[in-house]
Amino acid sequence: MRQKKNVSCPKSKRCPIRYDARSYTVWFDRSEVTILAIGGRIKLIFELAQYYRQYLSWKNTSADLIRDKKGRWWLHIVMETDNPKVTPINETVGVDLGIVSPATDCRGTFYGEKHWKQVEDRIFELRRRLTSKGTKSAKRHLKKLSSRQARFRRDCDHVLSKRLVQSVGKGATIVFEDLTNIRGRAKVRKSQRRRLHGWSFAQFQAFVTYKAEAKGIAIGFVDPRFTSQKCSSCGHISRSNRPTQKDFKCKKCHAELLADHNAAINIREDFLKLRGSVNNPFVSTDDLG
């Protein structure tokens, strides 16, 4: 006879209320919204930040009413619009996401700030000290620190993705490596494991994707195998081509360049070869005869 397992049900003190087009109406021109409540519809006045006025021409769909820890009420409105129709151009930019440098493209442009790593190192040291204490106060501090670190990384990814998308033209293509399950497959030095597991590459790629779609830029992916070991000049593949994490020196043709730049060039070339093999028409011997 099987024993029943007690499963706890998730609870929330501030569960958001979801509204659809029938249960709320918003007028952005006069900063008013009506929402359906138990006693009927309620009219409310709201404030809209200047940044969000760029989306007023979009169509509003659902909305979530949320109360934060400080007792303030927020209405999160989902806006949608069609992707712009843009003619593709002959511009393909490969981007390598690294542990040392957050992002590098095939043109040799490095994205990121030096002080970001310093902030991450300070947070890591503080987390280690708080964890060793193990007091209730330290645990509360750790919880706040985790939220602060997540907000910091999210802000960095927004800055990086915006810079990258603005660097290419409408109709271009940005290509990344397919980094699915990279944490389980990657072999890195012990000193780099912490940075690998704290790497928010999926969030960064998601930010680039939606920013690129709004501008009419396509996103592509390639197999990440050998992109960091292959020489972008002669195609020679060898682990010994990487004497250090930062540098690349081909053992065959002796080409030297930064490792992330070399990988970004390979990402671009692999995507162009893949796209060329897909787009090439099949020609039979009967057609030639």
Side-chain angles (χ1 to χ4, degrees), residues 55 58 81-84 170 208-217:
Y55 303 111
W58 295 18
T81 188
D82 296 329
N83 289 336
K170 293 182 178 180
V208 173
T209 300
Y210 87 78
K211 287 181 172 67
E213 287 178 350
K215 192 179 176 182
I217 298 170

Side-chain angles (χ1 to χ4, degrees), residues 37-68:
I38 297 176
R41 281 189 172 267
I42 302 175
K43 181 182 288 188
L44 302 170
I45 305 297
F46 64 87
E47 294 180 5
L48 183 65
Q50 186 64 35
Y51 173 81
Y52 296 108
R53 296 188 181 277
Q54 61 182 307
Y55 303 111
L56 295 185
S57 60
W58 295 18
K59 178 184 177 184
N60 60 291
T61 56
S62 62
D64 290 334
L65 184 63
I66 299 174
R67 188 183 184 187
D68 63 16

Side-chain angles (χ1 to χ4, degrees), residues 93-202:
V93 179
V95 180
D96 177 66
L97 304 183
I99 298 175
V100 178
S101 178
T104 306
D105 66 27
C106 60
R107 301 165 295 190
T109 304
F110 294 83
Y111 300 87
E113 300 291 344
K114 291 182 179 180
H115 74 273
W116 289 353
K117 182 178 181 298
Q118 297 173 356
V119 173
E120 288 282 354
D121 291 340
R122 286 200 302 268
I123 293 176
F124 172 74
E125 291 298 329
L126 182 56
R127 289 178 65 93
R128 187 165 62 177
R129 291 198 301 267
L130 291 172
T131 303
S132 63
K133 287 185 177 181
T135 61
K136 290 184 178 180
S137 177
K139 291 178 180 178
R140 287 195 300 268
H141 196 167
L142 275 171
K143 189 175 181 180
K144 293 181 180 179
L145 191 63
S146 297
S147 300
R148 188 193 310 168
Q149 187 178 33
R151 291 194 301 269
F152 172 75
R153 288 176 176 174
R154 187 178 182 88
D155 180 70
C156 292
D157 288 339
H158 271 303
V159 172
L160 287 177
S161 58
K162 184 177 181 179
R163 289 178 182 174
L164 177 59
V165 171
Q166 289 180 341
S167 70
V168 301
K170 293 182 178 180
T173 303
I174 298 175
V175 186
F176 294 107
E177 294 174 307
D178 183 2
L179 298 176
T180 306
N181 299 325
I182 186 63
R183 290 185 175 90
R185 294 185 285 108
K187 296 180 180 179
V188 296
R189 298 181 180 91
K190 186 177 181 180
S191 59
Q192 296 175 337
R193 290 175 187 171
R194 172 172 61 89
R195 297 200 58 137
L196 175 66
H197 290 283
W199 190 20
S200 58
F201 63 87

